[in-house]
Amino acid sequence: MSTATQTPDRTDGGPALTVPPASGRAARLLRRWPVAVLVVLIVAPFSALPLPGLLDGPVGSPGSLQLLATCLLFGALATGYDLLLGRTGLLSFGHALYFAAGSYATNMFLLEAGLPFAVAAVLGLCSGIALALVLGSVSLRVTGIGFSMVTLAFAQAGSILVSRNPGGLTGGEEGRAAPAELLPSSLVGIDNTANLYWIALAYLVLTLGVVHWAVRSPTGRVWEGIKENERRVEILGLKPYGFKLTAFVLAGALAAVGGLVHLLLTGGSTPQTTTSDFTLSLLVMVVLGGSGTRWGPMVGGILYTWADHRLGDLAGSGAVAELPAVLRVPLSQPLFLLGVLFVAVVHLLPGGLARLPSRLRRPRKENP
Amino acid sequence: MSTIVLLTMTGLGLGALYFLIASGLSLIFGLMDVLNFAHGALLSIGAYGTWWAASGNLPGAGADGPGFVLAVLFGTAVGTLAAVLLELAVVRPLYTRPREQVLATVGVGLAVPALLSGIWGSDARTFPGPQALSGTFGLLGAEVPVNRLVLIAAAVLVLVALRLFLGRTRHGLVVRAGVEDRAMVTALGIDVRRAFTLVFAIGGCAAALGGALGGLYFGSVDPRQGTSLLIFAFVVVVTGGMGSVTGAAVAAVVIGLVQQFANYYTAAGLGDLAVVVLLAALLLVRPRGLTGRLA
């Protein structure tokens, strides 16, 4: 957990440079809100606070912790994905592949080679990075939307490969459960959900730290330049290809770590994580929250995941079953609601939720 | 020999299906820089429209003879209408923001299959078709299903019609010029927006026709069919060179054949992978696709 307590301090130093010098202690304390949120999140498993409507049981119950951990995991995953979309301007449709690679490769090293968990995890992570390096270097040969289509094609190939179950390695449509006896005992079983929750939280903090550090580094400045105008970066004598590949591999590595966390959290690898729908849902999260912003993708990921789960519960509830067909059919499809919501956000709220406060403060100034 | 003939015909049939989706996709992309993620949804709408009409829900339409033709026309019309609505309601308001246009179509591409599976269930439905199209005919010793011919004929028809439209009509001229240089066309005082709607309508029409005939090819319809075909259509568009209809036609044939032959002579499913490997190899040699169009 040492990363969990160290990284936010570093990232918190970030906004101080961009925000004009604030007066007074209160303002400085206010800027420390991420630390306060982090503390609340760390102690959440000890809380028995019920949040009716938001969660099914008290915050500390295994069911709620599982949902919260999933939310944090996807918040982190969306943040890592935005390294490409919001920071470098690369619209990748194949991000699910590296997430799935982290999960499946680790699982296979456990199942087939019987390696200890730590070794399997490192090897799984390396597999994800290697895959991102190879496929990234090919797909970055095309620019713009062509890049999007090529990444999508690769991800689709991965998805097909997983669902065909070559040599019984991937388990096909069923997926494969992780071997409980090879995992550390503190990460297995419903009693240990809190540990998994903390791992998901640590992954979120790690991702936020890495992304914010990378974006502020000299490489991050070049990414920003590429996003604004790739030709100009080229004219300055820099080769955008290498910088884009760095972003692609870094984002792929973060996704692979996410796959590892997902493997632990769900106790196995599922083919759903390889589909193009999975990447598209990441895209929805990022745009919903606000692409290219510090907290937006995280907020989008958390909200999307929570809404997806709760809408699923809503669809199965008796209240919906009694509605007339015109309302019942759309309400019973979470993806329909999320898709419509997404279109609405793109149209009505450019910049996503992260831009909402500033839009509310200065109403109608930007829209002529 | 007979296996090769059968594989070739099936591969061409699949290629025809890919072309029906990819042609509209390619034109929309070339003209507007919009990768239409809802294009697979238009295909599904066409397929379900035809299925719905052919199942006896539309007076006069049915599973056989002229009734089936009417059902296909109905499905295609619904798909075209949906494409026009998509352009007017979702894409046009984001005229100055190409990336947001792409994102909005992603939302529609998620919502429409979900809605279809909400209405008709997520399981595949048997697709009704005329007796005459469900049989086979002999060709060089192979028994080839008739529906392959229908698909190929439809694709050739669409290709010829598109080339005539693009090459011989004034609207086609505007579209072609827009694909080459949108800024210049706008500067000449031509309203490109009308061309946008037109191209969306044409693309939606071809995709919906592909959906209706795809039902014949696969023998069933399901809500996810459009999306999975869309991904191969993307591969076709990139391979063919973006914005080029002829390039899309050539690429569709190549991709369809490679997929069928690889699926048969290696393990099932490897054909789908072979297509992607082919794409990767092509991009390493020619980053701009077969025709060298902008990418």
Side-chain angles (χ1 to χ4, degrees):
Chain A
M1 290 308 293
S2 62
T3 50
T5 48
Q6 279 170 7
T7 352
D9 288 336
R10 197 189 327 153
T11 59
D12 196 45
L17 295 171
T18 51
V19 172
S23 60
R25 213 167 175 184
R28 212 174 316 140
L29 275 179
L30 208 62
R31 242 182 287 130
R32 296 265 163 196
W33 66 266
V35 181
V37 171
L38 181 63
V39 170
V40 169
L41 284 174
I42 289 174
V43 300
F46 303 112
S47 160
L49 182 77
L51 292 172
L54 291 177
L55 295 169
D56 267 339
V59 173
S61 67
S64 301
L65 279 182
Q66 177 85 17
L67 176 56
L68 286 175
T70 314
C71 288
L72 295 177
L73 167 64
F74 283 101
L77 202 57
T79 305
Y81 178 66
D82 198 44
L83 197 58
L84 296 176
L85 179 69
R87 308 295 191 173
T88 321
L90 293 171
L91 184 57
S92 161
F93 283 116
H95 209 60
L97 188 59
Y98 311 104
F99 180 79
S103 171
Y104 270 98
T106 307
N107 206 3
M108 268 182 250
F109 283 119
L110 286 172
L111 285 166
E112 303 296 328
L115 295 170
F117 174 69
V119 181
V122 171
L123 287 176
L125 183 59
C126 291
S127 314
I129 295 173
L131 194 66
L133 189 62
V134 171
L135 298 186
S137 53
V138 174
S139 36
L140 281 168
R141 286 182 61 87
V142 249
T143 52
I145 289 293
F147 166 80
S148 313
M149 293 202 226
V150 176
T151 49
L152 180 69
F154 283 137
Q156 185 65 14
S159 179
I160 293 166
L161 197 62
V162 164
S163 66
R164 298 283 169 171
N165 194 11
L169 282 176
T170 64
E173 304 290 337
E174 309 289 315
R176 280 188 96 173
E181 67 278 5
L182 285 174
L183 296 175
S185 58
S186 59
L187 300 180
V188 180
I190 209 160
D191 299 335
N192 290 318
T193 315
N195 292 340
L196 295 170
Y197 166 85
W198 281 318
I199 288 180
L201 182 60
Y203 169 56
L204 174 64
V205 173
L206 170 83
T207 308
L208 284 169
V210 167
V211 168
H212 293 174
W213 164 76
V215 165
R216 299 183 60 78
S217 72
T219 308
R221 309 256 184 241
V222 182
W223 289 340
E224 208 183 322
I226 292 172
K227 188 191 171 197
E228 294 302 324
N229 189 339
E230 190 171 339
R231 181 63 68 79
R232 203 159 58 200
V233 172
E234 230 167 320
I235 289 169
L236 285 173
L238 297 165
K239 288 214 161 56
Y241 182 83
F243 287 98
K244 288 197 283 188
L245 189 58
T246 310
F248 195 87
V249 174
L250 186 56
L254 286 173
V257 179
L260 193 60
V261 177
H262 192 253
L263 175 73
L264 292 172
L265 199 58
T266 58
S269 311
T270 54
Q272 279 78 36
T273 57
T274 67
T275 57
S276 55
D277 274 1
F278 189 83
T279 304
L280 292 186
S281 60
L282 282 182
L283 181 67
V284 174
M285 290 173 198
V286 168
V287 175
L288 199 65
S291 176
T293 60
R294 173 176 293 254
W295 307 108
M298 180 192 82
V299 172
I302 290 174
L303 271 183
Y304 179 99
T305 312
W306 176 81
D308 194 27
H309 276 257
R310 298 305 293 181
L311 288 174
D313 294 349
L314 176 76
S317 71
V320 168
E322 285 164 19
L323 288 172
V326 183
L327 288 174
R328 190 189 67 234
V329 168
L331 281 180
S332 65
Q333 296 293 328
L335 264 185
F336 175 77
L337 295 178
L338 288 171
V340 171
L341 175 71
F342 182 59
V343 176
V345 167
V346 171
H347 274 95
L348 306 173
L349 197 61
L353 292 173
R355 284 273 300 280
L356 194 58
S358 63
R359 282 171 74 87
L360 289 179
R361 244 176 276 139
R362 283 169 294 158
R364 307 217 158 258
K365 214 170 186 180
E366 290 169 64
N367 313 348
Chain B
M1 182 62 194
S2 62
T3 318
I4 291 177
V5 172
L6 183 63
L7 284 175
T8 307
M9 290 306 283
T10 304
L12 287 176
L14 198 59
L17 204 51
Y18 291 157
F19 172 73
L20 287 178
I21 320 175
S23 56
L25 209 54
S26 194
L27 274 183
I28 293 172
F29 179 80
L31 186 65
M32 312 172 67
D33 271 352
V34 172
L35 185 58
N36 182 13
F37 263 85
H39 216 66
L42 298 177
L43 178 125
S44 295
I45 290 173
Y48 270 89
T50 310
W51 166 79
W52 182 82
S55 305
N57 291 307
L58 186 74
D64 217 350
F68 185 72
V69 175
L70 183 65
V72 171
L73 285 179
F74 175 76
T76 312
V78 173
T80 313
L81 193 68
V84 172
L85 282 179
L86 175 72
E87 205 278 328
L88 292 179
V90 176
V91 179
R92 180 167 286 202
L94 301 168
Y95 180 57
T96 50
R97 296 183 282 162
R99 173 158 285 186
E100 267 91 351
Q101 287 180 328
V102 178
L103 297 177
T105 64
V106 168
V108 176
L110 287 176
V112 169
L115 191 62
L116 288 175
S117 63
I119 301 174
W120 286 297
S122 53
D123 296 329
R125 299 276 184 149
T126 317
F127 196 82
Q131 284 293 319
L133 298 184
S134 59
T136 58
F137 68 99
L139 181 74
L140 299 171
E143 288 296 310
V144 181
V146 180
N147 60 43
R148 308 286 190 271
L149 270 193
V150 179
L151 270 169
I152 296 166
V156 170
L157 216 64
V158 168
L159 176 63
V160 171
L162 265 179
R163 286 202 61 90
L164 285 178
F165 165 76
L166 288 172
R168 298 290 163 89
T169 65
R170 196 185 141 70
H171 289 296
L173 183 70
V174 172
V175 171
R176 265 191 306 145
V179 170
E180 287 301 328
D181 192 343
R182 177 164 130 195
M184 181 58 84
V185 176
T186 318
L188 288 172
I190 297 166
D191 187 5
V192 194
R193 293 181 188 218
R194 207 171 295 161
F196 288 173
T197 316
L198 186 67
V199 162
F200 252 87
I202 294 171
C205 180
L209 181 65
L213 300 179
L216 277 182
Y217 182 91
F218 296 110
S220 63
V221 283
D222 71 81
R224 315 253 9 109
Q225 212 170 45
T227 314
S228 51
L229 283 169
L230 178 69
I231 289 165
F232 288 108
F234 282 165
V235 174
V236 166
V237 171
V238 181
T239 311
M242 288 174 225
S244 159
V245 173
T246 318
V250 175
V253 169
V254 173
I255 301 277
L257 287 176
V258 166
Q259 201 173 1
Q260 283 303 313
F261 275 89
N263 265 338
Y264 183 82
Y265 285 108
T266 61
L270 274 187
D272 307 358
L273 289 183
V275 166
V276 177
V277 173
L278 189 77
L279 173 73
L282 178 80
L283 287 175
L284 285 172
V285 188
R286 291 185 69 132
R288 287 173 159 232
L290 284 177
T291 52
R293 296 290 283 261
L294 72 159

